[in-house]
Amino acid sequence: MSSGPFDPAPFLLEEYLGIWEFQGEHYLTASDAETLTIEELLAFADPDERARFERLPLSYAPTWGGEELRAEIADLYEGLGPEHVLAFAGAEEALFWALQELAGPGDHALVTVPNYQSFETIPLTAGAEVEGIVLDPDAGWEPDIEAIARQMRPDTKLVAVNFPNNPTGAIPSQQTWRALVALCEEHGATLLSDEVYRGLEVDEARRLPQAAESPGSTISLNVMSKSYGLPGLRIGWLATRDRALLERLEKRKHYTSICNATPSEALATIALRNGPAIQRRNRDLIAANLPLFEAAFAAHPEHLEWEAPAGGCVSFPRYLGDDGVEAFCRELVETAGVVFLPASIYTSALGPVPTDRFRIGVGRRDPEAALAALGRFLER
Ligand SMILES: Cc1ncc(COP(=O)(O)O)c(C=O)c1O
C-alpha cells in the first residue's frame, strides 16, 4: 500500500520538448521516423478495410485492445498469440504501469543509462533500488556483460533495456544480447526490452531477436510511434508469455486510459498489416539522410563530431566548442530555431552520461534546410 501520492521527478525531456517541439523552426531532434498522414496510411488499405474504417463506430474498445489489433501484434512474435498482448496508450502508459508492477519497494532493478527517463524515474519513485547498466561511448556503447553479472543480486527482479537505444542509437552485438538474456534467466530476473526502434537498423543483420520470443521471464515493449512514424495514434503494447502479469496490468489500465481510441486501433491494424513496407520506407529515408548529416558535421570539425546511429532514428554526437553543449543548444534554438536536446536532458541518477553530447533525429524527410541553418549558425 502506497504511503503517499505517486510523485515522480519532472520529466526533463518532455518538459524541454513542451517548450520547443512546436515552437522551433527546425525540429532536428525528432525521436520518430517521418510522420505518415491518414491519407498516406489509408492508401495502404484495401477498399474493404477503407470502407470499414469509414463506418467505424466511435465506441469504447476492449481494455486489452481489440481482437484484430491484438491478432496483428501477436503475428509479429513467434510462438505468441493475442492472449499474450496487452495494448496501451503509447509506449509510455505501458512503461508507467509495467515498471511499477515489476520494481517496487524491496526490489532491485537494473536499467540502461542513458535512458528515456521513465526507465529510471518510475521504478525509483515506486521505491525500488535501481542501478544503471552504463553504456560507455569509449566501448562503442556496448553493455559490459561482466559488469552486469557483478551487479545481479538475489533480489534483482527487473532488468530493463532499450536497444536500439535512445539517445545513442546503440545496438549490442548478438553475442552480448544472448548473454544478457541468459544472465536474466539464470538469475530469475524479468527482462523488459524496449524495442520501439527495432526495424530501423542501419545494417539489418544487426537486428536483435525480440525479448518476448526468448526463454525466461521476458517482455517486449513496442509502439506505433517510432519505427512506423505514427505517434499520433498513441498505440503501444506489451507482449509476453506471462499472461498473469498482463492480467494484473490490465486492471491497472482501468485507472488510466481504460482503452485505446477505436480509430487509432483501426489505423494501427492497417499499418501493422503493411508494417514491413512502412519500416522499409523509413529505413530508406534514414539511409538517404545519414550522408547529409555526416557532411554537415564534417564541414565544422572544430565544433562537431559526427556519430551515426547503429539503429533507430536518433544519435548522440559530440559538441566540441568551448562554450559547452548546453549554451550551444540554447543559443542555437533561440537564434536559429534549430532544436537539439543537450546532454543535461539525459542526466541520470544511476551513472555517468557524457556532458558534451546532444541528441539529433535523422528520421525526418528533407533535413537540408535545418542543416543549412545549423551551418550558418556555426559560421556566424
Ligand atoms: C525509448 C523510448 N521508449 C518509449 C517512449 C515513449 O513512446 P510513446 O511516445 O510512443 O509513448 C519513447 C519516446 O520517445 C522512447 O524514446
Side-chain angles (χ1 to χ4, degrees):
M1 196 59 70
S2 166
S3 56
F6 191 77
D7 186 17
F11 202 133
L12 299 180
L13 178 147
E14 299 297 347
E15 294 199 355
Y16 192 86
L17 293 184
I19 300 169
W20 291 115
E21 181 168 0
F22 299 103
Q23 236 193 91
E25 192 183 343
H26 302 291
Y27 189 56
L28 205 50
T29 192
S31 68
D32 47 359
E34 179 73 16
T35 314
L36 285 159
T37 63
I38 293 181
E39 189 178 31
E40 285 167 330
L41 180 52
L42 285 178
F44 283 103
D46 62 36
D48 177 53
E49 274 176 324
R50 242 189 130 98
R52 283 202 297 144
F53 178 67
E54 279 161 16
R55 289 197 305 269
L56 184 75
L58 292 171
S59 56
Y60 283 105
T63 300
W64 282 89
E67 256 174 61
E68 276 194 80
L69 173 67
R70 286 200 299 146
E72 285 305 324
I73 294 171
D75 271 356
L76 301 172
Y77 301 90
E78 192 74 38
L80 267 63
E83 70 278 19
H84 300 122
V85 173
L86 174 57
F88 285 96
E92 183 68 334
E93 188 188 29
L95 281 173
F96 183 76
W97 285 127
L99 290 167
Q100 290 183 68
E101 181 68 28
L102 294 168
D107 297 327
H108 177 241
L110 298 177
V111 308
T112 35
V113 171
N115 54 50
Y116 184 67
Q117 196 183 321
S118 302
F119 264 69
E120 65 178 78
T121 299
I122 300 295
L124 281 171
T125 310
E129 192 185 330
V130 190
E131 283 185 74
I133 295 173
V134 176
L135 307 180
D136 178 356
D138 293 333
W141 309 111
E142 185 79 1
D144 179 343
I145 286 294
E146 284 172 18
I148 301 170
R150 286 194 297 275
Q151 289 174 295
M152 285 287 203
R153 307 190 326 208
D155 60 347
T156 305
K157 194 166 163 208
L158 172 70
V159 175
V161 297
N162 161 228
F163 300 113
N165 176 257
N166 175 359
T168 62
I171 307 177
S173 70
Q174 303 280 348
Q175 190 188 359
T176 299
W177 176 256
R178 281 195 301 274
L180 182 68
V181 172
L183 203 55
C184 291
E185 193 183 8
E186 184 192 325
H187 287 81
T190 294
L191 176 63
L192 172 63
S193 170
D194 178 330
E195 298 164 0
V196 303
Y197 289 110
R198 192 172 182 275
L200 296 184
E201 299 75 10
V202 171
D203 172 3
E204 287 183 67
R206 297 201 57 190
R207 186 168 303 159
L208 297 176
Q210 300 179 108
E213 298 169 340
S214 306
S217 170
T218 51
I219 309 169
S220 288
L221 167 71
N222 218 320
V223 76
M224 300 309 298
S225 305
K226 310 294 183 184
S227 65
Y228 298 94
L230 295 164
L233 295 181
R234 311 304 303 132
I235 298 282
W237 62 86
L238 292 174
T240 177
R241 286 181 302 260
D242 186 348
R243 169 77 190 183
L245 170 70
L246 294 184
E247 284 173 3
R248 293 198 298 281
L249 293 173
E250 189 245 2
K251 293 187 195 318
R252 295 189 172 225
K253 185 181 168 188
H254 291 153
Y255 283 101
T256 47
S257 62
I258 302 175
C259 69
N260 294 101
T262 40
S264 290
E265 289 209 350
L267 292 170
T269 304
I270 293 168
L272 288 167
R273 285 187 185 134
N274 298 281
I278 294 173
Q279 290 188 338
R280 193 177 328 113
R281 173 201 89 137
N282 294 335
R283 271 197 310 278
D284 289 349
L285 220 161
I286 292 166
N289 279 349
L290 289 179
L292 304 178
F293 280 82
E294 195 175 340
F297 276 57
H300 297 279
E302 70 290 6
H303 285 113
L304 305 175
E305 187 178 291
W306 174 240
E307 192 174 294
C313 49
V314 294
S315 86
F316 208 37
R318 286 179 74 199
Y319 180 71
L320 308 173
D322 292 338
D323 50 341
V325 76
E326 303 299 319
F328 163 63
C329 289
R330 192 173 52 247
E331 253 191 83
L332 179 67
V333 69
E334 284 174 2
T335 64
V338 179
V339 187
F340 285 147
L341 289 180
S344 61
I345 297 294
Y346 284 93
T347 301
S348 170
L350 311 177
V353 173
T355 53
D356 58 352
R357 292 181 178 251
F358 57 102
R359 191 189 85 182
I360 61 165
V362 297
R364 293 287 177 87
R365 191 174 284 143
D366 304 329
E368 290 89 342
L371 291 172
L374 168 67
R376 282 194 301 277
F377 174 82
L378 289 172
E379 281 152 24
R380 77 205 184 282

